[in-house]
């Protein structure tokens, strides 16, 4: 079991959210979730929201200034 | 929402044991203080030219600061209704409109005590309704979603270091200029004969105010109903402080809640609405695409390639195209760049400033193309989401509502487009 990685740094609004949702929908059975790296603060609201609707839990960790890692795990 | 709540970024840096208070601050906070010093220096410079320029610099800083802190973007307000079935930002917009409606109503009732005589308040954004407004709203709505931000959204993201937003801003300037060459055609076809409806003319001040507030409430209920169909209510990310009980810990939490944690959209909307009322009381409602057009029309005229005389434009209020006159410096240039500076200061303190470059070249094309559409839409609608919407509905003007409907349709079309661009 592993986490798929997605780096959306530099992306414009709302692609960080859209790409995260696309990746969540394409996870394979042996992947337990997705780790998203983003520098787009609005995505801290939108990505967890959409992930929860798709059945994932979400943890945000600050990894830089400004940079965050959002870990989305299958429930 | 998340299992482990995220704690907020510290204002103090790694060198917390350093004897110098200045060096104990996080590097981004130190940069923030330097930016404040620069903003004050520019304010003194503006005051040296003219006190009104200084005042508009302060307004610009305040608008930019609030936009950044509340991540207030009209593009996301309209787009996220379709894309996420989520009304976070739109509810903030509605709150701001309600506050501004009350304030504008008061200001206008002093300016025009007897509205039934048919006089219009000279500075309020009561603009002609017609095909130009429909087309303007549609293409503005498409452009703002494709570009990833409306005009004010692009301006505050310029301050946060988004390179694509600077490209959008360039597109907006070019779009304003290019459509200025078509202005006289639109004037004859639609603008000159357009109906300028100021609701107090027909309903009195109280009736117009009550109807506008009821309509805003109606839209709010519609948004909540639409959200409820998505089956989940998503709260705003809560602020998680240190939880300390001492005076210093509490002040530190206050500071971080204000300068680091993103404000709720409703707080941002109310603050922007109140600032808009203050600005209207001082001079005229908030808006700035008219000023952007003034730069471009002045520049093109100086080069001898300007569109020439624009019929009727000088007779209309708001963000209508302005022919470049009166030199380069005026009070509005301080408002526009004050917004970029205010957002820059806010972004430094919150640790959200970063030069961000999209990796795919198509994003630059989107930013430029979306900007062009916004510039064109703002020419035809005589304003952007600020001048033709956020300052028009509180002006108790019907054109604000017409623009909003077509803006929403345009945003829906834009949402379809961006979902097809990888």
């Amino acid at each position: 079991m592993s986490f798929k990685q997605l780096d959306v740094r530099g992306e414009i609004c709302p692609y960080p959210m859209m790409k995260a949702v696309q990746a969540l929908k394409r996870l394979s059975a042996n992947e337990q979730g997705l780790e998203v790296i983003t520098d787009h603060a609005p995505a801290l609201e939108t990505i967890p929201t959409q992930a929860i609707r798709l059945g994932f839990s979400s943890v945000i960790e600050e990894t830089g200034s400004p940079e965050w890692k959002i870990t989305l795990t299958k429930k | 929402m998340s299992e482990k709540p995220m704690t907020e970024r510290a204002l103090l840096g790694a060198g917390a044991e350093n004897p110098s208070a200045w060096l104990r601050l996080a590097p981004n906070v130190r940069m923030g203080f330097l930016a404040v010093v620069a903003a004050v220096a520019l304010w003194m410079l503006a005051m040296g030219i003219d006190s009104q320029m200084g005042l508009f610099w302060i307004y610009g800083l305040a608008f930019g600061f609030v936009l950044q802190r509340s991540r207030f973007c009209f593009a996301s307000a309209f787009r996220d209704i379709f894309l996420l079935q989520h009304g976070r930002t739109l509810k903030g917009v509605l709150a701001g409109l309600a506050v501004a409606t009350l304030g504008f109503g008061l200001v206008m009732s002093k300016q025009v005590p007897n509205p039934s005589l048919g006089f219009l308040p000279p500075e309020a954004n009561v603009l002609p309704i017609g095909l130009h407004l429909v087309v303007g709203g549609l293409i503005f709505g498409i452009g703002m979603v494709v570009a990833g931000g409306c005009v004010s959204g692009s301006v505050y993201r310029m301050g946060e270091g988004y390179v694509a937003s600077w490209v959008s801003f360039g597109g907006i300037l070019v779009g304003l200029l290019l459509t200025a060459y078509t202005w006289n055609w639109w004037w004859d076809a639609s603008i000159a004969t357009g109906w300028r409806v100021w609701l107090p003319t027909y309903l009195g001040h109280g009736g117009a105010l009550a109807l506008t507030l009821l309509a805003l409430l109606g839209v709010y209920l519609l948004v909540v109903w639409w959200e409820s169909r998505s089956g989940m209510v998503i709260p705003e990310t809560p602020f998680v402080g240190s939880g300390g009980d001492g005076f210093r810990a509490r002040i530190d939490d206050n500071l971080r809640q204000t300068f680091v944690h993103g404000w709720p959209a409703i707080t941002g909307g109310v603050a922007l609405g109140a600032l808009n009322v203050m600005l209207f009381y001082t001079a005229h409602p908030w808006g700035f695409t008219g000023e952007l057009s003034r730069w471009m029309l002045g520049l093109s005229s100086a080069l001898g390639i300007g569109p020439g005389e624009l019929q009727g434009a000088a007779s209309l209020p708001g963000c209508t195209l302005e022919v470049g006159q009166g030199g380069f410096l005026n009070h509005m240039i301080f408002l526009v760049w004050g917004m970029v500076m205010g957002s820059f200061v806010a972004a430094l303190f919150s640790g959200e400033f970063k030069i961000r470059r999209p990796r795919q070249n198509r994003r630059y094309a989107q930013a430029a193309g979306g900007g062009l559409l916004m510039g064109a839409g703002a020419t035809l609608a005589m304003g952007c989401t600020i001048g033709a919407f956020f300052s028009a509905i509180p002006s108790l003007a019907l054109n604000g509502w017409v623009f909003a409907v077509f803006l929403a349709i345009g945003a829906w079309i834009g949402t379809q487009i961006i979902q097809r661009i990888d």
Side-chain angles (χ1 to χ4, degrees):
Chain A
M1 297 289 268
S2 66
F3 279 90
K4 194 172 166 180
Q5 305 291 315
L6 177 70
D7 182 352
V8 290
R9 284 175 295 179
E11 267 293 7
I12 64 171
C13 199
Y15 284 98
M17 182 278 297
M18 282 165 57
K19 293 201 159 172
V21 168
Q22 193 183 49
L24 286 175
K25 286 179 176 167
R26 289 180 187 171
L27 283 184
S28 59
N30 63 351
E31 284 168 319
Q32 65 185 103
L34 181 72
E35 285 180 352
V36 187
I37 299 176
T38 183
D39 54 15
H40 185 61
L44 302 182
E45 302 255 356
T46 55
I47 291 178
T49 297
Q50 294 306 93
I52 289 166
R53 284 175 174 176
L54 290 168
F56 290 81
S57 67
S58 140
V59 178
I60 301 171
E61 186 189 338
E62 196 174 317
T63 51
S65 180
E67 207 177 285
W68 297 271
K69 186 171 83 176
I70 309 176
T71 307
L72 309 166
T73 314
K74 272 181 198 166
K75 278 189 199 167
Chain B
M1 179 187 308
S2 43
E3 285 162 357
K4 189 184 85 183
M6 182 181 62
T7 50
E8 299 296 330
R9 187 191 307 278
L11 292 163
L12 298 179
E17 300 309 313
N18 199 298
S20 155
W22 175 248
L23 293 175
R24 280 204 298 272
L25 294 169
N28 62 295
V29 177
R30 272 182 266 161
M31 287 297 293
F33 279 113
L34 292 179
V36 168
V37 171
V40 171
L42 285 164
W43 172 73
M44 287 173 13
L45 190 74
M47 288 299 282
I49 308 170
D50 182 331
S51 66
Q52 206 193 14
M53 296 190 190
L55 181 64
F56 274 71
W57 177 249
I58 300 289
Y59 270 116
L61 292 174
F63 276 119
F65 187 86
V66 175
L67 285 169
Q68 199 284 334
R69 292 291 50 240
S70 52
R71 293 161 192 161
F72 208 84
C73 176
F74 291 87
S76 76
F78 283 89
R79 178 198 67 211
D80 292 350
I81 284 290
F82 304 118
L83 194 59
L84 306 173
Q85 232 174 326
H86 190 351
R88 171 197 180 263
T89 319
L90 193 53
K91 287 178 191 165
V93 169
L94 291 169
L97 285 171
V99 169
T101 296
L102 285 169
F104 276 38
L106 198 65
V107 174
M108 293 188 299
S109 70
K110 297 285 178 200
Q111 290 176 343
V112 184
N114 188 351
S116 62
L117 296 175
F119 294 110
L120 299 178
E123 297 294 348
N125 291 7
V126 186
L127 296 161
I129 298 168
L131 183 65
H132 59 280
L133 190 60
V134 169
V135 175
L138 278 176
I139 59 179
F140 193 97
I142 298 171
M144 71 180 183
V145 173
V146 170
C150 60
V151 182
S152 61
S154 297
V155 165
Y156 97 74
R157 288 203 179 129
M158 284 161 73
E160 289 185 322
Y162 284 81
V163 175
S165 297
W166 286 83
V167 174
S168 290
F169 191 71
I172 293 163
L173 293 176
V174 174
L176 282 165
L177 176 63
L178 290 181
T179 38
Y181 294 94
T182 71
W183 171 270
N184 288 334
W185 184 87
W186 284 100
W187 174 262
D188 291 332
S190 164
I191 302 169
T193 51
W195 198 26
R196 290 176 74 184
V197 181
W198 189 46
L199 298 173
T201 311
Y202 308 93
L203 305 170
H205 284 294
L209 204 63
L211 182 67
T212 300
L213 291 174
L214 273 176
L216 292 172
L217 178 66
V219 176
Y220 176 79
L221 294 175
L222 202 62
V223 171
V224 174
W225 170 77
W226 179 247
E227 278 187 326
S228 71
R229 284 171 36 114
S230 74
M232 191 178 293
V233 178
I234 294 105
E236 302 236 13
T237 313
F239 171 75
V240 182
S242 65
D245 291 329
F247 176 73
R248 283 194 61 168
R250 285 171 197 236
I251 292 295
D252 187 57
D253 277 353
N254 286 168
L255 287 173
R256 287 193 292 156
Q257 191 159 16
T258 307
F259 291 98
V260 181
H261 186 74
W263 295 0
I266 301 230
T267 309
V270 168
L272 293 172
L275 281 168
N276 200 359
V277 173
M278 287 161 65
L279 185 61
F280 185 19
Y281 187 73
T282 312
H284 49 69
W286 184 25
F288 49 92
T289 42
E291 170 65 8
L292 305 187
S293 75
R294 199 183 66 89
W295 307 348
M296 294 310 282
L297 295 172
L299 182 68
S300 59
S301 303
L303 295 173
I305 53 164
E309 195 200 339
L310 304 175
Q311 285 185 66
S315 69
L316 292 172
C319 292
T320 311
L321 291 178
E322 282 178 42
V323 178
Q325 275 164 356
F328 182 65
L329 280 181
N330 81 350
H331 63 282
M332 285 299 289
I333 201 168
F334 285 96
L335 183 88
V336 176
W337 291 106
M339 285 168 60
V340 178
M341 189 72 185
S343 164
F344 178 60
V345 168
L348 283 173
F349 279 125
S350 61
E352 287 174 10
F353 177 81
K354 180 187 170 189
I355 305 286
R356 298 166 176 88
R357 291 185 200 85
R359 282 174 226 177
Q360 297 157 289
N361 286 330
R362 70 180 76 115
R363 294 287 182 260
Y364 291 106
Q366 272 181 260
L372 273 174
L373 289 176
M374 284 193 278
T379 298
L380 300 184
M382 289 163 270
C384 64
T385 38
I386 306 299
F389 171 66
F390 198 66
S391 292
I393 285 178
S395 293
L396 305 175
L398 191 59
N399 51 283
W401 292 96
V402 176
F403 182 69
V405 168
F406 290 95
L407 193 67
I409 298 172
W412 180 81
I413 298 170
T415 308
Q416 303 307 309
I417 295 172
I418 57 167
Q419 286 174 311
R420 284 166 179 76
I421 304 173
D422 191 29

